[in-house]
Every structure is written in C-alpha cells, then in structure tokens.
Amino acid sequence: MKIKDAAELTGTTVRTIRWYHQEGLVPVPENRGGRRDYQLHHVARILRVRWLAQAGLPLSNVRDLLDREDNAGREESSAGGDSTDHAGNKTSADTADRMDATDHADHQLRTVPPTVHSAQPVPSGAAVDDLYAALYQVDTSLEELHAQRQRILHLIDAAESGRGLSSIPPQIDRVYSRLEQAVPQDPHIQRVLRRERNMAEMLCQRGLIRADVIDALDLPDNQIDRMVDFLERFVAIKDVPGQELEGAVVELSGDMLQWCLEHPELVRLYLAVMPGWNVPAVRSVVMGLLMLEYRDPNQRALLRHALDGLTELISQGAFDPESAPATTQLSATRASGDPS
C-alpha cells in the first residue's frame, strides 16, 4: 500500500510516518514500482509507536523498547525458536505467552500502588518499567476521559431538563430548588440558599464533594417535603410570641433531631467533613458563623437548642454505625434545655 494509505489506516499523517522512519522507529519499506510498499507489519509498527507515544513514553524510550524486542526476537530466531516478521517481532507461535504476560502485567499494575509507577522516572534500560508506565498512563487517561464524559452527560441532562448549564449534581440541585420554592417571601433565606447552592456548585466543579455525599442527598420526595417543612417553620418562628417560643423551639428542634436519627448516614457524612464536632472550640466557631448569618433572636434560640441536642446525641453514640435510632435519648433531649 502507499504511504498515504498507511497514514489513513493508522490515523496519522504522511509527514509523521516519514519522521518515524528518520528516527528509526519504523523500518523503511522496500521500493516496488518506484514507490515504498507498506505491508501489514509496517501498519502494526506505526500503531504501536503511536500507542506508546500517546501513553506518555518519550520517543527515545519507545525506540529503546522496540529495539530490545527486535533484538530479542532475532536471538530467539537464530537459536531455533519462533520465527520473526519483517520488523523483527515474534509472530503467532508465542502469541499465547505474550497474552499471559500482558495479563500478568495488568495484575501487577493493579496490585502495586500507582505511585510506584507514576512517581519514579522511567528507566530507559528496563522494558518492563516502560510498559508499566505506559499502561498506567493509559489507565489514567481512561479515568480522566470517563470523568469528562460524565460531566458532559450531566451538562446535557441539565440543559435538556431546563436547569441550564449548571455543574451541580441533580441530587443537590433538586434539594435546593425545592427549598427555594418553599420560602419565596423571605429574601434573606433566599440569599442564604443561593449562596450555598453556588458554593456547592463550585466544590463540585473542583471535585471536592465526595460521591457518597452526593448519593446520600438523592432523597425521596417525602423526605425533601420534611426538609421544606422545617425551613418554613424556621422562617415562621420569627413571628412566634415570647410566651409560646419555648414550646415552638423544643417542638421544631425535636422534629429536626428525629429526622437526623432516621438518617444517620447523613449525620455521619456531616461529621466526616466537620471533624472535631465534640471539641467545644469547633462548635463555638460554627455557632459564631450561624449567629452572624441569622440575626433574628427566635431563630438563634432554635439553632442553639437544635445544635446542643445534636451534640448530646453525638456524644451518646447515637450515630455510630452499629447504633440503632435512639428514641429514648431524643425524648430526653427534646424535654431539656433553655431555648433562650
């Protein structure tokens, strides 16, 4: 075949193939009828060079690797072993052995920490290290492409569903949308929710929100309805008269804590991203930020009571993985505490 046909088959250019010849990466075909006649083994060689180069190996390493294989093939041939093709590569007689070796290399790569391959320079004199590095680079590229594909699919889904080109996962978007729709009359809460949504989107864009957190927020509608109810009651508590405030605070914070007990996995995720909750200094910082955000005294009273109750349940081990919902502790928590 002509050089342009070889270029089309291998997805490269005539100029690149000629450069491979110049660099000694691909043997120059014989002249037939006044032109170079490319055979199947030339095409295979070009494909292999391209694969190794795209996997991240420098061309000097590619040349060393292929030269060593060529020399090994010629030595086996001269010793009465398997035959070689025009490029010096072993042919079908040892195909099964090479497949076994490939499977073994794949197993070794999966059982050895990636840093063994990625953190060290590739020795030009070690073919196995070259191949490990190439395979690791391919796997890394595949993971990156898969992640990019998932992001594009999400953007397509967001655009087709009318949410716009947002990178926030639909599980989180659905919760914030329902909460924003619940209190359109409260501009302050709307600002808080929009700010939190923007923060979540920024963290998602940078891959800083764990997948298990996103999956845990894929709540059924009835659970989101309860969150909407909590938000509406939180807004309405501003207008509760003083003589009724204590009862309203205890009731709402108790309902919120009961919801936490019914969803311990969400509380455990919260504790995982907010380590040291049992340390008074950490709780003081969180409470200080909340007091800056919410200035209404009734809402502040509710937040203090609810967070104190949550701290008590955490200290009792109510959210340990092996614990069952602690309704008795909740009853004591709801009945105790000064909401002021």
Side-chain angles (χ1 to χ4, degrees), residues 129-149:
D129 287 348
D130 288 345
L131 290 173
Y132 276 145
L135 186 58
Y136 175 71
Q137 185 64 40
V138 169
D139 287 342
T140 302
S141 298
L142 287 175
E143 291 175 4
E144 292 173 352
L145 287 172
H146 178 72
Q148 183 181 15
R149 183 178 188 275

Side-chain angles (χ1 to χ4, degrees), residues 48-259:
R48 185 138 192 253
V49 171
R50 282 175 52 75
W51 177 79
L52 290 169
Q54 290 172 351
L57 285 181
L59 285 181
S60 58
N61 292 75
V62 173
R63 185 189 304 108
D64 290 344
L65 174 62
L66 296 178
D67 286 346
R68 283 194 296 272
E69 288 193 351
D70 290 346
N71 292 333
R74 281 190 288 270
E75 288 173 2
E76 289 187 9
S77 178
S78 63
D82 298 321
S83 61
T84 58
D85 61 16
H86 290 272
N89 294 319
K90 289 181 289 183
T91 54
S92 58
D94 71 334
T95 299
D97 292 340
R98 287 200 289 160
M99 290 177 65
D100 290 341
T102 301
D103 292 340
H104 176 70
D106 181 67
H107 171 74
Q108 292 284 0
L109 183 65
R110 295 178 187 278
T111 54
V112 176
T115 52
V116 171
H117 311 294
S118 61
Q120 302 296 327
V122 181
S124 60
V128 173
D129 287 348
D130 288 345
L131 290 173
Y132 276 145
L135 186 58
Y136 175 71
Q137 185 64 40
V138 169
D139 287 342
T140 302
S141 298
L142 287 175
E143 291 175 4
E144 292 173 352
L145 287 172
H146 178 72
Q148 183 181 15
R149 183 178 188 275
Q150 292 301 109
R151 289 194 295 270
I152 292 173
L153 285 174
H154 171 71
L155 291 175
I156 291 172
D157 177 69
E160 291 181 343
S161 62
R163 298 196 310 270
L165 294 179
S166 171
S167 61
I168 193 169
Q171 300 94 317
I172 298 177
D173 180 73
R174 192 162 66 100
V175 173
Y176 279 119
S177 295
R178 290 285 301 280
L179 294 176
E180 289 171 2
Q181 293 167 10
V183 287
Q185 75 285 0
D186 192 309
H188 175 71
I189 299 294
Q190 289 286 325
R191 284 196 300 273
V192 172
L193 291 174
R194 282 196 296 271
R195 187 161 61 242
E196 289 188 3
R197 180 202 285 263
N198 292 337
M199 178 65 69
E201 181 170 5
M202 181 188 72
L203 294 175
C204 287
Q205 288 173 342
R206 286 157 178 77
L208 298 177
I209 294 185
R210 290 164 21 188
D212 54 350
V213 175
I214 296 172
D215 292 340
L217 289 173
D218 191 14
L219 299 169
D221 287 340
N222 65 320
Q223 293 303 330
I224 299 181
D225 289 342
R226 290 185 66 186
M227 297 174 66
V228 167
D229 175 65
F230 295 153
L231 181 59
E232 290 175 334
R233 291 161 66 187
F234 177 77
V235 171
I237 208 168
K238 293 189 295 185
D239 301 322
V240 173
Q243 66 272 19
E244 301 175 14
L245 178 62
E246 181 176 355
V249 165
V250 171
E251 181 181 11
L252 178 52
S253 64
D255 289 344
M256 294 167 66
L257 293 174
Q258 179 63 46
W259 189 88

